[in-house]
Amino acid sequence: VGVVLGRGGYLTPGLARLDQRVRVTRQLTRTLRELLPELDEERLTRIQAAFAGQLGPEQPESAIGLVPNLAASRLANRLDLRGPAYTVDAACASSLVAVDHAVRELGSGRCDVVLAGGVHHCHDITLWSVFSQLGALSRSQRCRPLHRAADGVLIGEGTGVVVLKRLADAERAGDRVYALVSGTGVAGDGRSASLFSPDSGGQVRAVRQAWESAGLDPRAADSVGLLEAHGTATPAGDEAELATLAEVFGGPGGSARRAVIGSVKSMIGHTMPAAGVAGLIKAALALHHGVLPPTLHCDEPHPALARTRFTPLDRARPWEVPTSGAPRRAGVNAFGFGGINAHVVLEEAPRTATGPDARTSTGPSSGASASTRPGARTRPTTPRTSPTSRTSPTSTTGLTEPERVLRLG
């Protein structure tokens, strides 16, 4: 069993406190000694101790904030997992890049199960300050992806993990499968105008790569029913992403059916390295329950949406099975700051894999599991991984909320 987590090298609260303890306390006493020479060493020592006391106790766990890979290593250590355990940093694409790594680990046969996802717990004021200086924070204090007046992001925190297995293994184990990972794609922007300006060309390459690996034509009539957009709600980001979708999936004309687009960032904010897996879990649960979810704050869609085959919803509605007999499918975008792009194609699990009770579970899922056969397409499913979940007899190809696992096959 392997562990691959997307995790950024952001300034964490733990790291900030450690820096204050080691560096700032000394700078404080040095400055006071120069400005207030009447302070004796005893009083300076008391001031330094009082300042350090405000930072809280020193804990060995703070090392996790210093060494990013310890997030994955600690999971492997606590759960006694013997496969590869490492983190990847691809900015906001990190957790989908982690899923791509997991798919390859399963495809090579090196792992039989992989926990993949991302983590972001950093509401440190320094991070907010940097985003404010970049002009990326929403001045309206509302995250409005794909809205004509979108004016920036709001930062969220979160952790999302999916359990991926080869489909045959998941079926053999009787795991509940939430969805299938049909294809993944990762590509970079190359030389673009600026690190701060997303390039539609790099995004197009990643999305097309994923659909080609799935053996599917993204422009086909029933190719996709739901697109979970990166949807940062920044004007430049939304415009580039919508241009990508128009180029890859085509416009509203022709035989292609209209599909739904949304962004989980409207509900939970931008969880940075965990953003991709948050979107993946949302899309997998939508497939599992046969429901097209809404997106908040998009009552006036961006004009560029009219050039795509996608439309947002303001309330949930049933996800009808395509009349062509094709399975329901979803695409998930995650585009990283600096020009790294990832896309995952999800497909609903066969009913024989999910079992008759697979669509009756309750409670939100924060994970998933997947299974893959050598030479077969990789698809997400969900085994029972939560120690608090009930053991319910199910088949293999669905994502369950209480059991919180995603399978690949």
Side-chain angles (χ1 to χ4, degrees):
V1 179
V3 181
V4 189
L5 294 181
R7 185 189 186 284
Y10 305 103
L11 179 65
T12 64
L15 181 57
R17 285 193 296 271
L18 183 62
D19 181 71
Q20 289 176 304
R21 191 184 305 280
V22 172
R23 189 194 311 270
V24 178
T25 53
R26 292 192 176 95
Q27 292 173 339
L28 173 65
T29 52
R30 187 185 310 121
T31 301
L32 289 174
R33 189 180 289 115
E34 294 173 355
L35 295 178
L36 302 171
E38 66 273 18
L39 293 176
D40 56 32
E41 290 301 315
E42 181 183 353
R43 295 180 68 187
L44 287 172
T45 300
R46 287 167 55 195
I47 291 172
Q48 182 173 339
F51 180 84
Q54 296 295 317
L55 302 176
E58 295 186 74
Q59 300 284 355
E61 288 79 7
S62 64
I64 294 177
L66 299 178
V67 184
N69 195 59
L70 288 181
S73 300
R74 188 169 176 81
L75 270 180
N77 176 277
R78 293 295 83 196
L79 299 177
D80 194 24
L81 309 179
R82 304 305 177 93
Y86 58 93
T87 66
V88 296
D89 184 358
C92 310
S94 296
S95 51
L96 283 199
V97 171
V99 170
D100 176 74
H101 278 239
V103 167
R104 287 186 280 135
E105 294 282 4
L106 291 164
S108 70
R110 184 159 67 174
C111 289
D112 296 314
V113 182
V114 182
L115 309 183
V119 55
H120 182 68
H121 292 278
C122 181
H123 266 329
D124 188 80
I125 190 172
T126 306
L127 180 68
W128 282 83
S129 176
V130 170
F131 271 73
S132 178
Q133 293 174 49
L134 291 173
L137 288 182
S138 168
R139 292 178 180 271
S140 65
Q141 303 180 45
R142 178 167 289 185
C143 189
R144 297 180 287 178
L146 312 173
H147 190 282
R148 67 167 59 242
D151 62 351
V153 306
L154 293 179
I155 302 173
E157 289 186 313
T159 296
V161 175
V162 297
V163 179
L164 306 178
K165 296 176 73 174
R166 288 180 291 271
L167 181 57
D169 295 342
E171 290 174 336
R172 230 180 349 261
D175 296 326
R176 178 177 296 168
V177 180
Y178 287 97
L180 310 180
V181 174
S182 300
T184 62
V186 178
D189 287 354
R191 181 183 294 150
S192 58
S194 164
L195 287 175
F196 304 102
S197 300
D199 175 48
S200 180
Q203 298 175 8
V204 166
R205 283 188 290 275
V207 177
R208 281 182 172 158
Q209 185 184 110
W211 286 82
E212 287 172 4
S213 70
L216 298 168
D217 177 7
R219 288 177 171 255
D222 290 322
S223 60
V224 62
L226 172 66
L227 196 291
E228 174 62 21
H230 186 53
T232 57
T234 59
D238 283 3
E239 189 166 339
E241 184 169 16
L242 291 172
T244 294
L245 299 181
E247 181 169 345
V248 176
F249 295 95
S255 60
R257 287 183 174 81
R258 297 286 282 180
V260 170
I261 189 171
S263 173
V264 73
K265 292 178 183 64
S266 73
M267 302 166 181
I268 66 172
H270 191 352
T271 53
M272 314 295 280
V277 74
L280 187 148
I281 291 170
K282 172 189 168 185
L285 288 172
L287 285 164
H288 176 65
H289 291 291
V291 173
L292 291 167
T295 282
L296 302 180
H297 318 310
C298 194
D299 48 299
E300 296 181 51
H302 194 292
L305 258 174
R307 297 191 289 271
T308 75
R309 58 191 279 196
F310 298 99
T311 185
L313 296 180
D314 60 0
R315 63 190 61 195
R317 78 175 191 214
W319 190 344
E320 297 178 1
V321 177
T323 55
S324 65
R328 300 181 184 98
R329 296 192 191 94
V332 183
N333 283 340
F335 303 144
F337 186 71
I340 177 68
N341 311 290
H343 184 82
V344 171
V345 181
L346 295 180
E347 187 173 299
E348 69 175 323
R351 289 186 177 274
T352 54
T354 57
D357 65 336
R359 298 180 187 275
T360 60
S361 56
T362 58
S365 169
S366 63
S369 100
S371 86
T372 57
R373 283 190 301 271
R377 289 187 297 171
T378 305
R379 308 186 168 183
T381 63
T382 29
R384 298 176 293 275
T385 56
S386 168
T388 60
S389 64
R390 296 187 302 272
T391 304
S392 49
T394 59
S395 261
T396 52
T397 326
L399 298 172
T400 67
E401 292 98 315
E403 299 174 29
R404 302 191 297 184
V405 186
L406 180 67
R407 303 260 173 101
L408 204 70

